[in-house]
Amino acid sequence: MPDLALSPTAPNRHRLLWPAMATMLVIGWSSGFVGIRFANEEASVFLLLFWRTLLSGVILLPFALAFGPRLSLRVVLSQIAFGVMAVFLYLGGFALAIEQRVPTGLVALISDLLPLAIAALSQPVLGERLSGRQWLGTAVAVAGVLIVSFDSLTVGVAPLWAYGLTVGSMLIFAFASVLHKGRSELHIPVHQGLCIQTLTGAALFGLCALVAGDGLAPPLTRDFALGMAWLVLIATFATYSVYYTSLRLFPVAKVSAAIYLSPPVTMLWAWALFAEPLTPAMFAGLAVTLAGVWLTSRT
């Protein structure tokens, strides 16, 4: 499995590269809903995340050992720390918030504001300054996300700390994304980095599942197996690979802006696979979000 990093001049030579990668990123990012929808009825959130990350890491392990440079202890420890942030704290934080009865619509909305946090962090940490047009595009995209999510928003009765957990999880992933862009030791071949990160997540999620009394045995059902296949192959391998590669090639705020399209595309997945209804507000929100992403991503 080759290193997915490209030369710095590649984006200038291939004008269609970013639209193609942004499309793959949005499809993959939004598809996580499908795998969770299949598997969530069969297992607790920590057991689900344990098997998602364990299978991902085990599949990648032989490729990580056979292909790519020899990794120093410093690089491995950096990848482990990144896995704690980008896999365990990010995915686990949202999962725990939902388990504490924070409404799913509110969790999804906070998660989908990730690009806004990344845009705010990219200037002080990386020196990537957004133009006035890009900030306008960000505001328009956020408005589109709010339109799409409005019907599903409720406050709920979860403890106060659980609401803070959703915001904290989003901010942690935003910081991890900016960190990945700025630290050279994180720029190893994608399959090696993702292997270390997912195995780190598997160890921590497995410990959480044991503490919660869920055990580690997977449900032997068709829906759980289908959900795992979807989460591993599409939501993990395809999505994270495209995301990390995009961060190496393009400004971090530009990459993250594509994620604003995740909510409306998720609703299209739900309509196509689970016959969930589409509303005029969803299409209006999609149009507004597209305009905002276009303004933010334009060069």
Side-chain angles (χ1 to χ4, degrees):
M1 186 178 293
D3 184 358
L4 297 181
L6 302 179
S7 68
T9 58
N12 297 322
R13 293 201 303 265
H14 305 288
R15 298 181 62 184
L16 296 180
L17 180 61
W18 168 241
M21 295 189 73
T23 300
M24 291 188 291
L25 179 61
V26 172
I27 292 173
W29 201 279
S30 61
S31 72
F33 159 82
V34 178
I36 292 173
R37 178 74 176 263
F38 277 118
N40 194 38
E41 298 297 325
E42 308 292 330
S44 69
V45 288
F46 286 126
L47 187 60
L48 185 155
L49 291 172
F50 166 70
W51 280 102
R52 171 184 175 176
T53 51
L54 179 65
L55 290 173
S56 300
V58 168
I59 291 171
L60 286 174
L61 185 58
F63 298 98
L65 294 175
F67 303 101
R70 185 180 180 88
L71 302 179
S72 67
L73 179 62
R74 179 169 174 256
V75 170
V76 171
L77 291 176
S78 295
Q79 292 293 334
I80 289 174
F82 187 79
V84 171
M85 290 189 293
V87 178
F88 177 66
L89 293 178
Y90 175 62
L91 295 177
F94 284 119
L96 184 58
I98 292 173
E99 196 167 63
Q100 290 294 318
R101 299 188 179 179
V102 177
T104 305
L106 183 59
V107 172
L109 175 62
I110 294 172
S111 171
D112 293 326
L113 294 180
L114 169 69
L116 181 60
I118 291 177
L121 287 171
S122 61
Q123 181 174 343
V125 178
L126 298 175
E128 293 184 359
R129 186 187 181 105
L130 269 69
S131 66
R133 186 196 71 245
Q134 288 175 310
W135 278 116
L136 174 62
T138 296
V140 172
V142 170
V145 170
L146 289 171
I147 293 171
V148 170
S149 306
F150 183 77
D151 287 341
S152 62
L153 289 182
T154 57
V155 176
V157 294
L160 185 60
W161 64 264
Y163 294 97
L165 185 63
T166 59
V167 177
S169 298
M170 181 269 290
L171 291 176
I172 285 170
F173 191 80
F175 178 72
S177 296
V178 174
L179 192 67
H180 187 278
K181 177 78 172 180
R183 296 192 61 177
S184 59
E185 61 264 33
L186 293 174
H187 293 179
I188 64 175
V190 172
H191 65 284
Q192 289 183 313
L194 193 55
C195 176
I196 297 171
Q197 294 159 27
T198 51
L199 289 177
T200 300
L204 296 172
F205 285 130
L207 181 61
C208 290
L210 290 174
V211 170
D214 300 326
L216 298 180
L220 301 179
T221 64
R222 185 185 72 87
D223 281 352
F224 186 80
L226 183 60
M228 281 298 107
W230 195 289
L231 287 170
V232 170
L233 298 177
I234 300 177
T236 300
F237 289 169
T239 304
Y240 276 81
S241 296
V242 173
Y243 184 64
Y244 290 153
T245 305
S246 298
L247 286 177
R248 300 182 188 186
L249 295 172
F250 303 99
V252 65
K254 180 175 182 175
V255 174
S256 64
I259 299 172
Y260 283 125
L261 291 170
S262 177
V265 175
T266 295
M267 292 172 183
L268 291 176
W269 279 114
W271 167 75
L273 295 178
F274 306 112
E276 293 188 6
L278 296 174
T279 66
M282 293 177 186
F283 289 104
L286 174 60
V288 173
T289 305
L290 278 169
V293 172
W294 177 76
L295 282 171
T296 304
S297 302
R298 232 181 72 190
T299 56

